[in-house]
Amino acid sequence: MFQDKLILRIPGPTPIPHRVQQAMNHPMIGHRSGQFSKLFADVAKRLKPFFGTTQDVYILAGSGTSALEMAVVNTVGAGDEVAVLVSGAFGERFAKICERYDITAHRLNVPWGEPIRGEQLEAFLAEHPQVKAVFATQCETSTGIINPIEELAQVVRAKSDALFIVDAVSCLGAVPMEMDAWGVDIAVTGSQKAFMLPTGLAFIAASERAWNVIDNRKPQAFYLDLKAYRKSLAEQTTPYTPAVSLIFGLEEVCNMLEEEGLENIFKRHELMRDMTRAAMKALGIPLMTADEFGSATVTSLDPQGKFDAEELRKILRTKYNMIVAGGQQHLKGKIFRIGHMGYCEPLDVITVISAIEMALKEMGVDIPFGEGVKKAQEVYINHV
């Protein structure tokens, strides 16, 4: 086996296309130069369609979590009440960020693997009429669930004056996000998922409603002051030192995504999801989520005692040089997760399924050998 030929199939970071790697090798330029200003303003503008907004998209040097924190500290503060929709590990992260700033976080918890529904949120808001913001996660990476953001946004708008703030880190760019049409006030994502870059950039956009709140608040942060980013973007720059090489890479990512087209990107990810889910069903491996809410970027599987998920991951890693993700928090060691986003195509999915079948055979697990690959092929070949 070629040790440098790692097959990375986790829900981020994701593989980096060769042409993006080459773009990041561009000779360094001054981050306050006219050349960089032109580059930066161009890529910021080109991000808007992925957010489904006419508002500006701001780019900061940091992980997705930095932008989650930015969304919190610019809209609410100590003593405020917020609603946090928790359907997995990353919904809980929003709550922890809020509580670090002495914000009262009311959690709407659902079992991991289930989505938050509109009627649940409506009842919750009736119990907590003072909330100033509702925080949600579009794709809950820990379970492979996609929450119905459009439905939830409608409830927030109809039943409260709260801002609706969405963590879309592990799916934006691979699934639809229509900030303006749906009524999302702030959306956040990161570079290392569907945007096919290394970790290190975060993107955030805010609605006019959100800006009305932000402009009337005293900034709680220095580096994460969103008003500073707005002021700098108007001058085609950043308030603090940008990650120049990643911006060169982002330009090439935009080229690639625009060449494919948004609708085709969405269809590709839906196809890979459908292939993966069909294959796992054929092999008798239980899915953690119902088809209706299965993520197009990551699929979570729960062996339920049929086999050891960690042993499977070990064989994939050591024998096939393939990495799939494990579980988080109380699911650690119990489940495994297959990432299928970004620089990934249907034939890559077939490779993953084939390796899983071989690893399970080696483990002595009774599976209909070859049926997973066959089912994935059928979904692929019949795809319109």
Side-chain angles (χ1 to χ4, degrees), residues 77-80 97-104:
D80 289 338
I97 294 171
C98 290
E99 290 170 344
R100 180 63 60 90
Y101 289 92
D102 294 323
I103 298 161
T104 300

Side-chain angles (χ1 to χ4, degrees), residues 3-228:
Q3 291 305 309
D4 63 337
K5 196 174 181 181
L6 178 68
I7 304 171
L8 187 64
R9 289 293 165 248
I10 62 175
T14 59
I16 302 169
H18 297 300
R19 56 190 279 192
V20 175
Q21 291 177 338
Q22 291 173 345
M24 291 189 294
N25 286 331
H26 190 287
M28 187 56 59
I29 62 174
H31 66 284
R32 299 303 182 207
S33 65
Q35 182 182 0
F36 180 76
S37 290
K38 182 179 179 182
L39 169 68
F40 186 75
D42 177 63
V43 295
K45 182 178 180 180
R46 293 166 75 180
L47 289 173
K48 292 183 181 183
F50 301 104
F51 282 75
T53 187
T54 59
Q55 300 294 321
D56 286 330
V57 178
Y58 304 96
I59 304 171
L60 64 152
S63 70
T65 301
S66 68
L68 299 182
E69 187 164 347
M70 176 180 270
V72 171
V73 300
N74 284 274
T75 56
V76 289
D80 289 338
E81 295 183 37
V82 300
V84 183
L85 314 187
V86 182
S87 53
F90 290 92
E92 181 62 26
R93 178 169 297 183
F94 249 146
K96 290 178 178 178
I97 294 171
C98 290
E99 290 170 344
R100 180 63 60 90
Y101 289 92
D102 294 323
I103 298 161
T104 300
H106 301 291
R107 291 168 172 81
L108 171 53
N109 289 289
V110 299
W112 286 31
E114 294 183 10
I116 307 283
R117 300 310 304 259
E119 57 268 23
Q120 294 172 308
L121 177 55
E122 183 174 346
F124 195 73
L125 289 175
E127 296 173 8
H128 303 285
Q130 303 303 318
V131 299
K132 293 188 175 182
V134 176
F135 294 92
T137 307
Q138 186 172 16
C139 172
E140 180 47 74
T141 323
S142 60
T143 64
I145 199 84
I146 282 278
N147 281 302
I149 295 300
E150 181 178 8
E151 176 186 343
L152 299 175
Q154 291 173 352
V155 171
V156 174
R157 285 296 179 89
K159 300 299 179 180
S160 77
D161 294 323
L163 296 178
F164 188 48
I165 299 172
V166 178
D167 167 3
V169 171
S170 62
C171 62
L172 195 146
V175 304
M177 164 56 74
E178 296 291 343
M179 276 188 65
D180 295 352
W182 294 350
V184 173
D185 291 301
I186 294 180
V188 170
T189 195
S191 56
Q192 78 278 17
K193 306 280 187 173
F195 283 94
M196 305 182 290
L197 284 164
T199 306
L201 294 179
F203 314 126
I204 183 170
S207 69
E208 290 293 340
R209 288 181 76 246
W211 277 114
N212 287 337
V213 172
I214 296 166
D215 283 334
N216 285 290
R217 294 187 61 85
K218 181 180 179 181
Q220 297 182 75
F222 182 79
Y223 186 75
L224 300 179
D225 179 3
L226 192 50
K227 285 186 278 192

Side-chain angles (χ1 to χ4, degrees), residues 245-353:
S245 296
L246 290 176
I247 299 299
F248 276 117
L250 179 58
E251 179 185 39
E252 191 59 33
V253 166
C254 289
N255 292 339
M256 291 182 67
L257 297 179
E258 289 166 4
E259 288 165 11
E260 185 175 5
L262 265 180
E263 290 304 315
N264 290 329
I265 293 169
F266 298 157
K267 289 178 181 178
R268 171 167 57 88
H269 284 85
E270 290 166 1
L271 172 58
M272 293 190 294
R273 172 200 63 199
D274 293 347
M275 290 171 64
T276 304
R277 295 180 71 86
M280 295 301 107
K281 290 177 183 178
L283 294 175
I285 303 174
L287 295 150
M288 278 199 67
T289 64
D291 288 346
E292 181 184 1
F293 296 103
S295 171
T297 58
V298 55
T299 298
S300 293
L301 293 310
D302 183 358
Q304 297 180 1
K306 185 175 182 179
F307 58 86
D308 187 327
E310 289 303 295
E311 184 182 355
L312 170 67
R313 294 179 63 228
K314 181 179 179 181
I315 293 173
L316 291 174
R317 181 178 69 252
T318 57
K319 187 167 184 177
Y320 300 106
N321 214 22
M322 177 180 291
I323 309 295
V324 298
Q328 295 175 304
Q329 295 185 19
H330 67 280
L331 294 179
K332 187 174 183 179
K334 298 179 180 178
I335 71 168
F336 67 101
R337 298 175 295 146
I338 304 169
H340 37 77
M341 79 175 98
Y343 194 47
C344 185
E345 59 186 355
L347 286 177
D348 294 322
V349 172
I350 290 175
T351 299
V352 174
I353 295 164

Side-chain angles (χ1 to χ4, degrees), residues 312 315-316 320 354-365:
L312 170 67
I315 293 173
L316 291 174
Y320 300 106
S354 177
I356 289 173
E357 288 191 352
M358 291 188 289
L360 290 173
K361 267 294 183 182
E362 183 173 330
M363 292 167 62
V365 181

